[in-house]
Amino acid sequence: MTLATLSDVLRPALAGGYAVPGLVCLGWEDMRAYVMAAEAERAPVILQAGPGCRAHTPLPILGAMFRHLAASVDVPVVAHLDHGYTLADCQDALDAGFTSVMFDGSNLPLDENIAQTAAVVALARSAGASCEGEIGFVGYDGGAGSAGTDPAQAARFAAETGVDAMAISVGNVHLQQGPGGGLDLGRIRAIEAVTRVPLVIHGGSGVPPAQRADLAARSRICKFNIGTELRMVFGTALRSAVNRDPARFDRLAILQETHEPVFEAARTLLRNLGASSRV
Ligand code: 13P
């Protein structure tokens, strides 16, 4: 059993100069490929159940799947709730065996975000779990715009909530289908100057891989959330598997062909972040 909390994997990452990917999971095929990739790379990994995943599969099922996968390997696996919007979302995840929760109060006024995040931190602590919060707002490609993280607010947020990891908005945007212009290094350094908490980048797909590698090694960013990039690999593999044989209807045979590309892409990502050969 190698089930781990977010702190269990981020503290060594921060000290060792690497980052751990928070991989967005949508179902059994992708989460299994991610855990097998982590095992092959001797790397820690964070499995994330976000709002879309939870709308499709009940949370207790996802918790059991993550925990089953963690028990099947000997590298650290974090069962993480991504973008919990209420205290109840986070309590449900802890009840379902998750070892880490993200409370996303980034849409709330600062004092409210701090108060609610601190309450979720207390909840997580009492369950022996970790808590990630967000300060500033990370926008969505083609949707809501970002609000960059203010360093003074970040310092207050970290100190008053006690979060184990802090998601920041520094030019990152969710759902980008290719590398964007890169993150704002000046803003990252200004945040690092006023807080010691491990930092998290959502919207990791839009960050150029060379910058991801550099920041993983040389900043306090030690978690990159990656969804779109891997969902594109899965979708492309699925489409070609479906089209390759129009007579085939058994979905297990079709889905099997997604494994290798997703597994390999996850291995490449773990290597890029410097997470390989760490456990
Ligand atoms: P991307 O899909 O843009 O990689 O973002 C993932 C994410 O931040 C999930 O919280």
Side-chain angles (χ1 to χ4, degrees), residues 144-157:
S146 293
T149 299
D150 173 71
Q153 288 190 2
R156 214 191 122 199
F157 182 83

mmCIF file with all atom_site columns, all heavy atoms in Angstrom, residues 144-157:
data_model
loop_
_atom_site.group_PDB
_atom_site.id
_atom_site.type_symbol
_atom_site.label_atom_id
_atom_site.label_alt_id
_atom_site.label_comp_id
_atom_site.label_asym_id
_atom_site.label_entity_id
_atom_site.label_seq_id
_atom_site.pdbx_PDB_ins_code
_atom_site.Cartn_x
_atom_site.Cartn_y
_atom_site.Cartn_z
_atom_site.occupancy
_atom_site.B_iso_or_equiv
_atom_site.pdbx_formal_charge
_atom_site.auth_seq_id
_atom_site.auth_comp_id
_atom_site.auth_asym_id
_atom_site.auth_atom_id
_atom_site.pdbx_PDB_model_num
ATOM 1  N N   . ALA A 1 144 ? -13.761 32.153 -18.801 1.00 0.00 ? 144 ALA A N   1
ATOM 2  C CA  . ALA A 1 144 ? -13.455 33.222 -17.834 1.00 0.00 ? 144 ALA A CA  1
ATOM 3  C C   . ALA A 1 144 ? -11.972 33.583 -17.863 1.00 0.00 ? 144 ALA A C   1
ATOM 4  O O   . ALA A 1 144 ? -11.112 32.696 -17.949 1.00 0.00 ? 144 ALA A O   1
ATOM 5  C CB  . ALA A 1 144 ? -13.849 32.752 -16.435 1.00 0.00 ? 144 ALA A CB  1
ATOM 6  N N   . GLY A 1 145 ? -11.693 34.881 -17.802 1.00 0.00 ? 145 GLY A N   1
ATOM 7  C CA  . GLY A 1 145 ? -10.314 35.346 -17.808 1.00 0.00 ? 145 GLY A CA  1
ATOM 8  C C   . GLY A 1 145 ? -9.653  35.175 -16.441 1.00 0.00 ? 145 GLY A C   1
ATOM 9  O O   . GLY A 1 145 ? -10.341 35.026 -15.425 1.00 0.00 ? 145 GLY A O   1
ATOM 10 N N   . SER A 1 146 ? -8.322  35.191 -16.428 1.00 0.00 ? 146 SER A N   1
ATOM 11 C CA  . SER A 1 146 ? -7.574  35.009 -15.173 1.00 0.00 ? 146 SER A CA  1
ATOM 12 C C   . SER A 1 146 ? -7.482  36.298 -14.372 1.00 0.00 ? 146 SER A C   1
ATOM 13 O O   . SER A 1 146 ? -7.593  37.387 -14.922 1.00 0.00 ? 146 SER A O   1
ATOM 14 C CB  . SER A 1 146 ? -6.145  34.550 -15.487 1.00 0.00 ? 146 SER A CB  1
ATOM 15 O OG  . SER A 1 146 ? -6.149  33.257 -16.038 1.00 0.00 ? 146 SER A OG  1
ATOM 16 N N   . ALA A 1 147 ? -7.259  36.152 -13.062 1.00 0.00 ? 147 ALA A N   1
ATOM 17 C CA  . ALA A 1 147 ? -6.865  37.278 -12.213 1.00 0.00 ? 147 ALA A CA  1
ATOM 18 C C   . ALA A 1 147 ? -5.541  36.855 -11.580 1.00 0.00 ? 147 ALA A C   1
ATOM 19 O O   . ALA A 1 147 ? -5.490  35.875 -10.813 1.00 0.00 ? 147 ALA A O   1
ATOM 20 C CB  . ALA A 1 147 ? -7.918  37.533 -11.143 1.00 0.00 ? 147 ALA A CB  1
ATOM 21 N N   . GLY A 1 148 ? -4.467  37.525 -11.950 1.00 0.00 ? 148 GLY A N   1
ATOM 22 C CA  . GLY A 1 148 ? -3.135  37.146 -11.478 1.00 0.00 ? 148 GLY A CA  1
ATOM 23 C C   . GLY A 1 148 ? -3.039  37.197 -9.955  1.00 0.00 ? 148 GLY A C   1
ATOM 24 O O   . GLY A 1 148 ? -3.671  38.040 -9.304  1.00 0.00 ? 148 GLY A O   1
ATOM 25 N N   . THR A 1 149 ? -2.247  36.291 -9.385  1.00 0.00 ? 149 THR A N   1
ATOM 26 C CA  . THR A 1 149 ? -2.069  36.239 -7.923  1.00 0.00 ? 149 THR A CA  1
ATOM 27 C C   . THR A 1 149 ? -1.265  37.446 -7.440  1.00 0.00 ? 149 THR A C   1
ATOM 28 O O   . THR A 1 149 ? -0.177  37.717 -7.956  1.00 0.00 ? 149 THR A O   1
ATOM 29 C CB  . THR A 1 149 ? -1.349  34.933 -7.529  1.00 0.00 ? 149 THR A CB  1
ATOM 30 O OG1 . THR A 1 149 ? -2.156  33.834 -7.942  1.00 0.00 ? 149 THR A OG1 1
ATOM 31 C CG2 . THR A 1 149 ? -1.112  34.859 -6.024  1.00 0.00 ? 149 THR A CG2 1
ATOM 32 N N   . ASP A 1 150 ? -1.793  38.119 -6.445  1.00 0.00 ? 150 ASP A N   1
ATOM 33 C CA  . ASP A 1 150 ? -1.098  39.233 -5.815  1.00 0.00 ? 150 ASP A CA  1
ATOM 34 C C   . ASP A 1 150 ? -0.186  38.659 -4.713  1.00 0.00 ? 150 ASP A C   1
ATOM 35 O O   . ASP A 1 150 ? -0.666  37.947 -3.824  1.00 0.00 ? 150 ASP A O   1
ATOM 36 C CB  . ASP A 1 150 ? -2.143  40.187 -5.203  1.00 0.00 ? 150 ASP A CB  1
ATOM 37 C CG  . ASP A 1 150 ? -1.475  41.271 -4.383  1.00 0.00 ? 150 ASP A CG  1
ATOM 38 O OD1 . ASP A 1 150 ? -0.847  42.143 -4.981  1.00 0.00 ? 150 ASP A OD1 1
ATOM 39 O OD2 . ASP A 1 150 ? -1.572  41.211 -3.134  1.00 0.00 ? 150 ASP A OD2 1
ATOM 40 N N   . PRO A 1 151 ? 1.126   38.913 -4.765  1.00 0.00 ? 151 PRO A N   1
ATOM 41 C CA  . PRO A 1 151 ? 2.048   38.299 -3.800  1.00 0.00 ? 151 PRO A CA  1
ATOM 42 C C   . PRO A 1 151 ? 1.670   38.574 -2.340  1.00 0.00 ? 151 PRO A C   1
ATOM 43 O O   . PRO A 1 151 ? 1.756   37.661 -1.504  1.00 0.00 ? 151 PRO A O   1
ATOM 44 C CB  . PRO A 1 151 ? 3.401   38.914 -4.154  1.00 0.00 ? 151 PRO A CB  1
ATOM 45 C CG  . PRO A 1 151 ? 3.285   39.269 -5.605  1.00 0.00 ? 151 PRO A CG  1
ATOM 46 C CD  . PRO A 1 151 ? 1.859   39.691 -5.802  1.00 0.00 ? 151 PRO A CD  1
ATOM 47 N N   . ALA A 1 152 ? 1.235   39.791 -2.023  1.00 0.00 ? 152 ALA A N   1
ATOM 48 C CA  . ALA A 1 152 ? 0.896   40.103 -0.621  1.00 0.00 ? 152 ALA A CA  1
ATOM 49 C C   . ALA A 1 152 ? -0.314  39.269 -0.182  1.00 0.00 ? 152 ALA A C   1
ATOM 50 O O   . ALA A 1 152 ? -0.358  38.745 0.945   1.00 0.00 ? 152 ALA A O   1
ATOM 51 C CB  . ALA A 1 152 ? 0.602   41.591 -0.474  1.00 0.00 ? 152 ALA A CB  1
ATOM 52 N N   . GLN A 1 153 ? -1.294  39.118 -1.071  1.00 0.00 ? 153 GLN A N   1
ATOM 53 C CA  . GLN A 1 153 ? -2.465  38.290 -0.747  1.00 0.00 ? 153 GLN A CA  1
ATOM 54 C C   . GLN A 1 153 ? -2.053  36.822 -0.600  1.00 0.00 ? 153 GLN A C   1
ATOM 55 O O   . GLN A 1 153 ? -2.577  36.107 0.259   1.00 0.00 ? 153 GLN A O   1
ATOM 56 C CB  . GLN A 1 153 ? -3.527  38.417 -1.843  1.00 0.00 ? 153 GLN A CB  1
ATOM 57 C CG  . GLN A 1 153 ? -4.234  39.766 -1.852  1.00 0.00 ? 153 GLN A CG  1
ATOM 58 C CD  . GLN A 1 153 ? -5.440  39.763 -2.782  1.00 0.00 ? 153 GLN A CD  1
ATOM 59 O OE1 . GLN A 1 153 ? -5.781  38.747 -3.390  1.00 0.00 ? 153 GLN A OE1 1
ATOM 60 N NE2 . GLN A 1 153 ? -6.095  40.911 -2.886  1.00 0.00 ? 153 GLN A NE2 1
ATOM 61 N N   . ALA A 1 154 ? -1.110  36.382 -1.450  1.00 0.00 ? 154 ALA A N   1
ATOM 62 C CA  . ALA A 1 154 ? -0.642  34.989 -1.378  1.00 0.00 ? 154 ALA A CA  1
ATOM 63 C C   . ALA A 1 154 ? 0.018   34.724 -0.027  1.00 0.00 ? 154 ALA A C   1
ATOM 64 O O   . ALA A 1 154 ? -0.198  33.667 0.590   1.00 0.00 ? 154 ALA A O   1
ATOM 65 C CB  . ALA A 1 154 ? 0.325   34.703 -2.519  1.00 0.00 ? 154 ALA A CB  1
ATOM 66 N N   . ALA A 1 155 ? 0.812   35.685 0.448   1.00 0.00 ? 155 ALA A N   1
ATOM 67 C CA  . ALA A 1 155 ? 1.495   35.521 1.735   1.00 0.00 ? 155 ALA A CA  1
ATOM 68 C C   . ALA A 1 155 ? 0.470   35.397 2.852   1.00 0.00 ? 155 ALA A C   1
ATOM 69 O O   . ALA A 1 155 ? 0.571   34.529 3.733   1.00 0.00 ? 155 ALA A O   1
ATOM 70 C CB  . ALA A 1 155 ? 2.420   36.708 1.987   1.00 0.00 ? 155 ALA A CB  1
ATOM 71 N N   . ARG A 1 156 ? -0.560  36.244 2.804   1.00 0.00 ? 156 ARG A N   1
ATOM 72 C CA  . ARG A 1 156 ? -1.614  36.219 3.830   1.00 0.00 ? 156 ARG A CA  1
ATOM 73 C C   . ARG A 1 156 ? -2.397  34.910 3.759   1.00 0.00 ? 156 ARG A C   1
ATOM 74 O O   . ARG A 1 156 ? -2.670  34.264 4.770   1.00 0.00 ? 156 ARG A O   1
ATOM 75 C CB  . ARG A 1 156 ? -2.558  37.409 3.597   1.00 0.00 ? 156 ARG A CB  1
ATOM 76 C CG  . ARG A 1 156 ? -3.114  37.983 4.872   1.00 0.00 ? 156 ARG A CG  1
ATOM 77 C CD  . ARG A 1 156 ? -4.228  38.972 4.638   1.00 0.00 ? 156 ARG A CD  1
ATOM 78 N NE  . ARG A 1 156 ? -5.424  38.508 5.330   1.00 0.00 ? 156 ARG A NE  1
ATOM 79 C CZ  . ARG A 1 156 ? -6.646  38.911 5.070   1.00 0.00 ? 156 ARG A CZ  1
ATOM 80 N NH1 . ARG A 1 156 ? -6.876  39.802 4.115   1.00 0.00 ? 156 ARG A NH1 1
ATOM 81 N NH2 . ARG A 1 156 ? -7.672  38.445 5.750   1.00 0.00 ? 156 ARG A NH2 1
ATOM 82 N N   . PHE A 1 157 ? -2.731  34.518 2.532   1.00 0.00 ? 157 PHE A N   1
ATOM 83 C CA  . PHE A 1 157 ? -3.509  33.287 2.322   1.00 0.00 ? 157 PHE A CA  1
ATOM 84 C C   . PHE A 1 157 ? -2.766  32.073 2.885   1.00 0.00 ? 157 PHE A C   1
ATOM 85 O O   . PHE A 1 157 ? -3.340  31.256 3.614   1.00 0.00 ? 157 PHE A O   1
ATOM 86 C CB  . PHE A 1 157 ? -3.767  33.116 0.813   1.00 0.00 ? 157 PHE A CB  1
ATOM 87 C CG  . PHE A 1 157 ? -4.596  31.921 0.452   1.00 0.00 ? 157 PHE A CG  1
ATOM 88 C CD1 . PHE A 1 157 ? -5.982  31.975 0.513   1.00 0.00 ? 157 PHE A CD1 1
ATOM 89 C CD2 . PHE A 1 157 ? -4.003  30.736 0.035   1.00 0.00 ? 157 PHE A CD2 1
ATOM 90 C CE1 . PHE A 1 157 ? -6.755  30.870 0.181   1.00 0.00 ? 157 PHE A CE1 1
ATOM 91 C CE2 . PHE A 1 157 ? -4.766  29.627 -0.298  1.00 0.00 ? 157 PHE A CE2 1
ATOM 92 C CZ  . PHE A 1 157 ? -6.151  29.696 -0.233  1.00 0.00 ? 157 PHE A CZ  1
#
